[in-house]
Amino acid sequence: MSKKIIIDTDPGIDDAMAILLALKSPEIELVGLTTIFGNVYTPLATQNALRLVEFAGRPDIPVAHGAEAPLITPLEAVADFVHGRDGLGNVNLPPPQGQPIAKAAAQFMVETVMAQPGEITLVPIGPLTNLALALALEPRLADHVAEVVVMGGAVTVNGNVNPAAEANIINDPHAADRVFTAGWPVTMVGLDVTLQTIMSDDYMAALNASGSPTAEFIYAISRFYRDFHYDTHGLAGMHTHDPSAIAYVLDPTLFTTVRGPVRVATEGIAAGQTLLDRFQNWRDSNPWTGQPAVNVCLEVDSERLLALYQQRICQL
Ligand code: BDR
Ligand code: CA
């Protein structure tokens, strides 16, 4: 039986790469996209989500417009220097034909999950505001999702926005702390693993040469993202952030995980830092005490993940 998922997304080049992986995988039924700010502002995220389902020939997949600002901290900027002004590598895609549904992202999540208890996996690959709002609307959501697979955070490596914080978490640290402590089955696919998997220039050239229109599209939109990696990290390739979350849904055995409560710093110079308590044996109680354990991915079989991605994207 296929896994039903909702992807909460800020497309975003690697978001597009993740969404297309889901759409090319028979084990996954994509029941909706919900949108959020981050790589772009939410209205453009919604337009891009519509563009992606239309490109994939799946305009039937509902797109729900999400929150336009974090719960508490102001939204200062978006990552156009990483993803391009249009969020998809400045390739000037035509406007979408379709419209978002007349329901906010959080409401869509609540209604979809509650109508099919235990069947829906939420896969947030942007800031976690919509999930926090959905939990506030319907606290029983935590008991009715199948799983929550988060791309975000870093526990054994530095952040990618500053030494403390990863982008999706720093964009709404209060929401992230609620999501990690809500008592639902969360898996964190963070920089610990996503930085380990590199889509090299050679790998991308092979994808592009495959003759698959999806692979050619991914190659075209990802040139801007590749150049960001080269200019910033001297990397002749790209880190594999959002597609890793979909890879986890497809095959959790690609990853090695540990368990423990994760809290998020919400203030100060380390705001947005994700901190895992692997030990839970402190003498005195602390902010992790009594919080539910989540799964945190620490290692990945990158070779197998890249082979899976290539196989799915290149199939005609
Ligand atoms: C995350 O931040 C965004 O730029 C990417 O789309 C990904 O979700 C990586 O830190
Ligand atoms: Ca993203």
Side-chain angles (χ1 to χ4, degrees):
M1 213 179 67
S2 58
K3 283 191 190 171
K4 296 180 186 175
I5 73 170
I6 296 173
I7 303 180
D8 187 63
T9 177
D10 57 339
I13 294 164
D14 61 324
D15 298 75
M17 295 168 73
I19 290 164
L20 293 170
L21 172 61
L23 286 169
K24 290 285 229 169
S25 294
E27 304 91 332
I28 288 180
E29 183 188 339
L30 182 59
V31 298
L33 293 177
T34 54
T35 64
I36 191 67
F37 54 84
N39 296 326
V40 293
Y41 292 100
T42 313
L44 182 53
T46 299
Q47 294 297 296
N48 285 346
L50 290 165
R51 285 185 169 101
L52 290 167
V53 291
E54 289 174 15
F55 167 77
R58 293 297 310 277
D60 55 300
I61 294 175
V63 172
H65 186 76
E68 297 196 350
L71 296 183
I72 295 170
T73 52
L75 175 60
E76 274 160 13
V78 292
D80 52 1
F81 56 99
V82 184
H83 297 267
R85 255 185 343 277
D86 69 355
L88 293 172
N90 292 341
V91 294
N92 297 317
L93 295 172
Q97 306 288 307
Q99 298 285 333
I101 59 169
K103 206 172 277 177
Q107 188 66 34
F108 174 76
M109 280 181 199
V110 167
E111 288 179 18
T112 310
V113 170
M114 297 310 280
Q116 303 171 76
E119 286 188 27
I120 307 287
T121 294
L122 302 177
V123 188
I125 55 176
L128 294 164
T129 318
N130 288 331
L131 273 78
L133 291 172
L135 279 168
L137 276 176
E138 176 49 274
R140 291 176 304 161
L141 195 66
D143 300 322
H144 290 88
V145 291
E147 233 185 315
V148 182
V149 179
V150 176
M151 190 283 127
V155 302
T156 58
V157 297
N158 282 150
N160 58 359
V161 170
N162 63 41
E166 182 278 330
N168 288 341
I169 305 299
I170 201 174
N171 272 326
D172 196 340
H174 297 88
D177 194 51
R178 289 186 201 174
V179 167
F180 283 118
T181 57
W184 48 7
V186 177
T187 296
M188 177 180 140
V189 182
L191 300 182
D192 308 274
V193 286
T194 65
L195 295 177
Q196 290 183 37
T197 305
I198 312 257
M199 293 188 176
S200 67
D201 285 353
D202 286 350
Y203 175 87
M204 292 306 295
L207 235 64
N208 192 37
S210 69
S212 142
T214 305
E216 286 168 4
F217 176 81
I218 286 173
Y219 186 81
I221 64 168
S222 65
R223 297 308 80 207
F224 190 96
Y225 195 55
R226 183 268 177 207
D227 289 347
F228 164 79
H229 283 80
Y230 191 76
D231 296 344
T232 315
H233 307 290
L235 185 66
M238 307 176 291
H239 295 131
T240 307
H241 298 304
D242 294 343
S244 294
I246 303 298
Y248 180 87
V249 175
L250 287 170
D251 184 359
T253 72
L254 292 167
F255 297 87
T256 307
T257 58
V258 293
R259 276 183 74 71
V262 167
R263 297 296 313 261
V264 180
T266 53
E267 288 169 11
I269 63 167
Q273 185 170 18
T274 45
L275 296 134
L276 163 70
D277 182 1
R278 294 177 71 163
F279 307 112
Q280 300 165 65
N281 60 355
W282 311 99
R283 201 190 63 150
D284 301 317
S285 79
N286 61 46
W288 289 258
T289 307
Q291 295 293 346
V294 305
N295 291 322
V296 177
C297 294
L298 290 188
E299 295 295 334
V300 55
D301 185 338
S302 297
E303 212 173 301
R304 216 151 57 79
L305 190 156
L306 289 170
L308 175 67
Y309 192 81
Q310 183 169 30
Q311 187 258 323
R312 295 302 161 87
I313 295 300
C314 294
Q315 75 198 345
L316 297 174

